[in-house]
Every structure is written in C-alpha cells, then in structure tokens.
C-alpha cells in the first residue's frame, strides 16, 4: 500500500516537471493554418477592444453618434441620399413657393434642434 502511494507521488512529480520544462509551449509544432487562425483571432479581439474603448470614450464625452442600424422606426426602411439625377425639377416654382419651402425647412430644423 505504501509503495503505491510513492509511485503516485513520483508520477505526479514527473508530470509537473515535464509541464514546467515545456514552459507553456505546445508539445507539437502548430500548422500554418493554426498559426494564421490564432493571429486572426488576436487581431479580432484587439479590434473589438478598440471599438469598445472608443464607444466608451464617445459616450463619456456625450458625443452623438447617430442612429444605429435597426433602431426603432428604421426597421424595414433604408435611408440613402438622393442623387442629382433623382432630384425633382424645381425650375417651375414661383418665388412665393420657394420662400414657403425655405420657411418650412427652417421650422423643421429648429424643431429638431430643440
């Protein structure tokens, strides 16, 4: 019985010694794809940490980052700028109609700012 305890202790010490000699390095060499995968994973983690840090800094400063994708009211709608070809022809507007449109746009701008 006592001999079995010594064997267990000896085997455990040998295993611990082998682990300390390897220094945390793998026992076999990694393939190129494993190295590339680990590199890509490290870059991904670094980018995610950078984004989180930047987002936290922006929130602390109170910067407005605009609506996020998929926010309420945006679902199912896509927003894009009109191209010059797609703009309506406004050459037949009278000066009164132009003034009315400008006033309306100014009122909308003021209501959004407040």
């Amino acid at each position: 019985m006592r001999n079995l305890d010594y064997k267990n202790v000896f085997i455990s010490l040998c295993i611990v010694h082998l682990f300390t000699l390897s220094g945390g390095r793998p026992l076999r060499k990694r393939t190129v794809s494993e190295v590339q995968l680990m590199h890509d994973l490290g870059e991904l983690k670094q980018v995610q940490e950078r984004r989180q840090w930047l987002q936290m800094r922006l929130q602390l400063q109170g910067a407005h980052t605009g609506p996020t994708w998929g926010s309420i009211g945006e679902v199912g709608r896509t927003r894009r700028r009109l191209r010059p070809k797609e703009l309506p022809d406004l050459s037949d507007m009278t000066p009164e109609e132009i003034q009315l449109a400008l006033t309306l746009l100014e009122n909308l701008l003021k209501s959004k700012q407040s």
Side-chain angles (χ1 to χ4, degrees):
M1 181 81 167
R2 194 162 171 93
N3 194 17
L4 185 61
D5 289 338
Y6 285 126
K7 285 182 183 178
N8 285 340
V9 169
F10 180 72
I11 290 173
S12 300
L13 286 175
C14 288
I15 290 173
V16 168
H17 180 68
L18 286 174
F19 283 139
T20 57
L21 284 180
S22 69
R25 291 174 283 143
L27 298 177
R28 63 176 176 80
K29 240 184 162 177
R30 290 192 170 100
T31 62
V32 175
S33 60
E34 285 177 315
V35 172
Q36 183 66 41
L37 179 68
M38 289 170 39
H39 173 73
D40 292 346
L41 183 63
E43 277 189 354
L44 177 68
K45 286 182 178 180
Q46 187 178 18
V47 167
Q48 287 175 340
E49 288 173 0
R50 193 178 306 135
R51 281 184 186 154
Q52 287 175 348
W53 177 83
L54 182 60
Q55 190 68 30
M56 181 188 67
R57 296 292 291 178
L58 289 174
Q59 287 175 354
L60 288 177
Q61 293 177 357
H64 178 65
T65 58
T68 58
W69 290 100
S71 60
I72 297 175
E74 295 282 327
V75 178
R77 269 191 338 179
T78 57
R79 297 177 72 193
R80 64 179 184 86
R81 291 184 179 192
L82 291 175
R83 296 187 176 114
K85 298 176 204 170
E86 298 171 340
L87 291 173
D89 185 22
L90 303 177
S91 60
D92 57 342
M93 288 182 69
T94 65
E96 293 83 21
E97 291 174 329
I98 293 174
Q99 188 61 40
L100 181 65
L102 287 174
T103 307
L104 178 68
L105 288 174
E106 286 175 1
N107 289 339
L108 282 174
L109 185 61
K110 287 178 185 175
S111 69
K112 281 199 169 202
Q113 289 177 349
S114 56

